[in-house]
Amino acid sequence: MVNNKTLLLIACLVWSAAGINILRIGIIEYPLYLSAVNFLLSAVVFAVFQFFIFGRLVKKHTKRIDGYGEQKQLFIKFFDVKSFIIMAVMMTGGILLRSLKLAPAVFIAVFYTGLGAALLLAGILFGKNFVIRKFKKNKSDQ
């Protein structure tokens, strides 16, 4: 059982680790496909995932976690059930995509770089929310 603020830290670490790993896979594939068009496409992937999916998800989960108050929670409650299912489907799809070579390397380079950067930013935003809440608590204790 952990403090609700700790759930934000756990989310930060999990999302950042996932983002770093996906970003790493994309960057490894990128050297053969360096071009302005591919950089632009990676930026579009990043923007779509950040603004329409992960940014909203960070707000939703932070609000849900804040709603727990000071109660202790299971460490896995940084996600809800729906999010764990989505994460499992995305991981399985990504693994199958690469292992079965269902997508060309240029797609992996462009898409994974944008997706990984968006995942990493979501992790950073969870970390920012953790720090803000931790500081806020400490300041009110004084």
Side-chain angles (χ1 to χ4, degrees):
M1 303 292 268
V2 299
N3 180 292
N4 70 323
K5 290 170 191 63
T6 304
L7 293 175
L8 293 170
L9 178 60
I10 293 169
C12 166
L13 297 173
V14 169
W15 282 78
S16 295
I20 289 168
N21 188 47
I22 299 301
L23 185 58
R24 180 188 61 79
I25 292 167
I27 289 171
I28 287 170
E29 293 292 337
Y30 232 115
L32 296 176
Y33 306 104
L34 299 175
S35 73
V37 170
N38 287 342
F39 291 147
L40 179 62
L41 289 172
S42 290
V44 168
V45 170
F46 168 81
V48 167
F49 275 94
Q50 182 54 42
F51 296 111
F52 296 109
I53 301 170
F54 300 142
R56 292 176 180 179
L57 193 138
V58 169
K59 289 176 186 170
K60 173 188 156 195
H61 285 293
T62 298
K63 183 177 179 180
R64 179 182 53 78
I65 289 167
D66 283 344
Y68 292 146
E70 293 299 317
Q71 301 172 10
K72 299 280 185 178
Q73 300 293 325
L74 285 174
F75 73 94
I76 62 170
K77 301 250 337 224
F78 69 92
F79 260 0
D80 57 14
V81 173
K82 179 181 171 185
S83 294
F84 273 113
I85 292 168
I86 291 169
M87 181 176 64
V89 168
M90 286 180 67
M91 288 174 62
T92 302
I95 291 167
L96 288 174
L97 194 68
R98 286 189 343 274
S99 64
L100 298 176
K101 299 195 186 315
L102 298 174
V106 65
F107 174 83
I108 300 297
V110 170
F111 186 78
Y112 274 50
T113 300
L115 176 64
L119 281 165
L120 179 57
L121 180 56
I124 291 166
L125 292 173
F126 273 120
K128 179 190 105 183
N129 291 340
F130 167 75
V131 169
I132 288 170
R133 281 149 184 82
K134 194 72 166 167
F135 177 75
K136 189 176 177 182
K137 178 183 187 282
N138 291 339
K139 187 171 182 146
S140 66
D141 288 345
Q142 295 175 350

